[in-house]
């Protein structure tokens, strides 16, 4: 059951992009394994000129020689290659039943992963909001939590998993320089509970998107009140958020960082990526919080001693 506007299945596929410097389509697959002190994500994208890239990341205390961040970009891909048979730089994606199932596999230098995703709830599209999708983020974008299974291998050490995870898919535009700051969170606890929010400060306005999925009902959020702690380098070490949805439900999400990695998305915006052990109303689960900051701002705050 859902109170969100359900997305047309065609949007699980690759889209035709307009040309231009901000044209972009991307997929992300998230994994957090706090019991093993390791987290991972796979990220792939393509621009309006048919140039694609990918990142395989693994990070956390279990990664002994520091975070793994294996990236390539600028790979030419044909217009005919969709996400049912996507292949970029040793990353393969196979979308199955639309908006329900997906597979991803990556073979890198230090990490390999086989990842199967099965949706927990209907995909939530930012374009379903009364104000639409923020135009600097995408023409549209969906977020979806689910059950994930597979094997992550880091420096030869295998971490089989059967847990909960998250994916997103955005298409149209991405202007990294438009936002001053954002907090993006995805988390799951148990078979039927997931929370997502994207809290953006841009162009003098606050933009809020997301959902609560619980007890078989997926409903858009209407408010998030969050607090967080940081270390002296402005990495968020914990977060506490009260999230309220259109159905009148309110949940309490608390998270503690166990693994982190930097995504330097643009000279104008860096993303502090922190995977977390979370609770949702006290129920243990997993999640991830991404915070975006202009790099000059990070430098200023750190040098001024204002963080931590």
């Amino acid at each position: 059951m859902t109170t969100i506007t359900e997305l047309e299945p065609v949007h699980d596929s690759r889209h035709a992009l307009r040309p231009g410097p901000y044209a972009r389509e991307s997929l992300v697959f998230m994994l957090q394994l706090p019991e093993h002190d390791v987290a991972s994500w796979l990220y792939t994208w393509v621009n309006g000129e048919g140039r694609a890239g990918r990142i395989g990341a693994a990070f956390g205390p279990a990664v002994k020689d520091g975070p793994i961040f294996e990236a390539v970009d600028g790979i030419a891909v044909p217009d005919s290659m969709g996400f049912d048979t996507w292949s970029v730089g040793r990353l393969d994606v196979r979308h199955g039943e639309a908006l329900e199932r997906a597979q991803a596999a990556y073979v890198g230098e230090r990490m390999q992963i086989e990842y199967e995703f099965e949706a927990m709830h209907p995909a939530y599209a930012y374009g379903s909001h009364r104000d639409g999708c923020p135009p600097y983020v995408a023409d549209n974008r969906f977020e979806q939590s689910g059950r994930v299974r597979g094997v992550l291998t880091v420096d030869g050490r295998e971490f089989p998993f059967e847990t909960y995870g998250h994916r997103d898919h955005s298409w149209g535009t991405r202007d990294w320089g438009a936002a001053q700051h954002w907090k993006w969170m995805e988390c799951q606890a148990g078979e039927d509970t997931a929370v997502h929010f994207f809290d953006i400060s841009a162009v003098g306005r606050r933009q809020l998107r997301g959902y609560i999925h619980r007890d078989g009902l997926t409903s858009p959020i209407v408010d998030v009140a969050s607090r967080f702690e940081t270390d002296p380098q402005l990495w968020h070490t914990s977060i506490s958020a009260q999230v309220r949805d259109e159905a009148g439900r309110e949940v309490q999400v608390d998270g503690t960082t166990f693994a982190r990695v930097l995504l330097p998305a643009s000279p104008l915006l860096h993303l502090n990526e922190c995977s977390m052990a979370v609770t949702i109303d006290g129920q243990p689960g997993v999640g991830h919080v991404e915070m975006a900051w202009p790099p000059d701002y990070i430098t200023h705050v750190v040098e001024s001693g204002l963080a931590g």
Side-chain angles (χ1 to χ4, degrees):
M1 185 166 57
T2 180
T3 63
I4 64 174
T5 301
E6 294 198 38
L7 192 65
E8 292 293 330
V10 68
H11 293 301
D12 208 19
S13 304
R14 185 179 172 189
H15 296 75
L17 300 177
R18 299 183 300 273
Y22 300 130
R24 185 182 183 89
E25 184 160 16
S26 65
L27 308 173
V28 173
F29 300 93
M30 306 294 300
L31 175 68
Q32 301 90 37
L33 301 173
E35 69 275 21
H36 296 303
D37 280 333
V38 65
S40 179
W41 41 261
L42 296 174
Y43 182 29
T44 185
W45 61 88
V46 62
N47 66 18
E49 282 70 50
R51 298 285 173 171
R54 59 90 178 133
I55 297 171
F59 49 101
V63 185
K64 299 304 182 184
D65 293 327
I68 296 171
F69 192 88
E70 299 178 347
V72 297
D73 199 2
I75 298 174
V77 297
D79 292 343
S80 59
M81 188 169 73
F83 295 137
D84 54 341
T85 56
W86 187 251
S87 183
V88 174
R90 304 174 78 181
L91 168 65
D92 296 312
V93 174
R94 302 288 183 267
H95 282 185
E97 184 180 354
L99 301 178
E100 291 288 342
R101 297 179 183 274
Q103 295 180 326
Y106 171 65
V107 179
E109 296 301 318
R110 292 181 56 197
M111 67 165 282
Q112 299 83 43
I113 188 169
E114 297 176 2
Y115 181 105
E116 296 183 16
F117 176 92
E118 180 184 357
M120 181 190 299
H121 57 80
Y124 167 79
Y126 287 17
S128 67
H129 190 275
R130 63 179 179 275
D131 295 329
C133 184
Y136 43 83
V137 170
D139 290 355
N140 206 352
R141 170 188 177 102
F142 75 76
E143 307 273 355
Q144 192 172 42
S145 290
R147 301 165 187 85
V148 297
R149 63 184 60 86
V151 180
L152 170 66
T153 304
V154 177
D155 294 327
R157 182 182 177 188
E158 291 189 350
F159 300 94
F161 59 88
E162 187 167 354
T163 183
Y164 302 95
H166 189 87
R167 68 168 178 165
D168 72 46
H169 178 181
S170 67
W171 60 93
T173 58
R174 175 59 58 85
D175 183 351
W176 296 107
Q180 295 173 296
H181 173 63
W182 70 55
K183 303 174 188 71
W184 179 91
M185 182 174 203
E186 53 89 357
C187 58
Q188 308 84 39
E191 287 287 335
D192 196 39
T193 301
V195 177
H196 162 66
F197 66 80
F198 199 6
D199 192 351
I200 311 169
S201 297
V203 201
R205 296 181 60 192
R206 183 192 190 197
Q207 298 276 4
L208 188 62
R209 305 289 185 271
Y211 59 82
I212 294 172
H213 174 77
R214 197 170 207 179
D215 301 325
L217 174 65
T218 310
S219 180
I221 63 172
V222 295
D223 191 36
V224 173
S226 64
R227 305 184 308 277
F228 61 97
E229 302 293 330
T230 71
D231 71 7
Q233 303 302 310
L234 202 60
W235 285 92
H236 43 290
T237 57
S238 67
I239 192 168
S240 176
Q242 297 80 45
V243 186
R244 184 162 52 92
D245 69 9
E246 286 185 356
R249 303 177 299 181
E250 186 168 309
V251 298
Q252 172 70 40
V253 180
D254 296 289
T256 302
T257 297
F258 73 90
R260 70 189 197 187
V261 68
L262 176 68
L263 174 54
S266 159
L268 300 174
L269 203 70
H270 283 186
L271 308 181
N272 285 354
E273 306 282 355
C274 290
S275 287
M276 294 187 160
V278 308
T279 61
I280 303 176
D281 285 344
Q283 183 179 9
V286 295
H288 187 91
V289 174
E290 171 187 278
M291 291 199 188
W293 308 97
D296 288 346
Y297 180 79
I298 296 176
T299 299
H300 174 76
V301 168
V302 170
E303 291 180 350
S304 299
L306 296 174

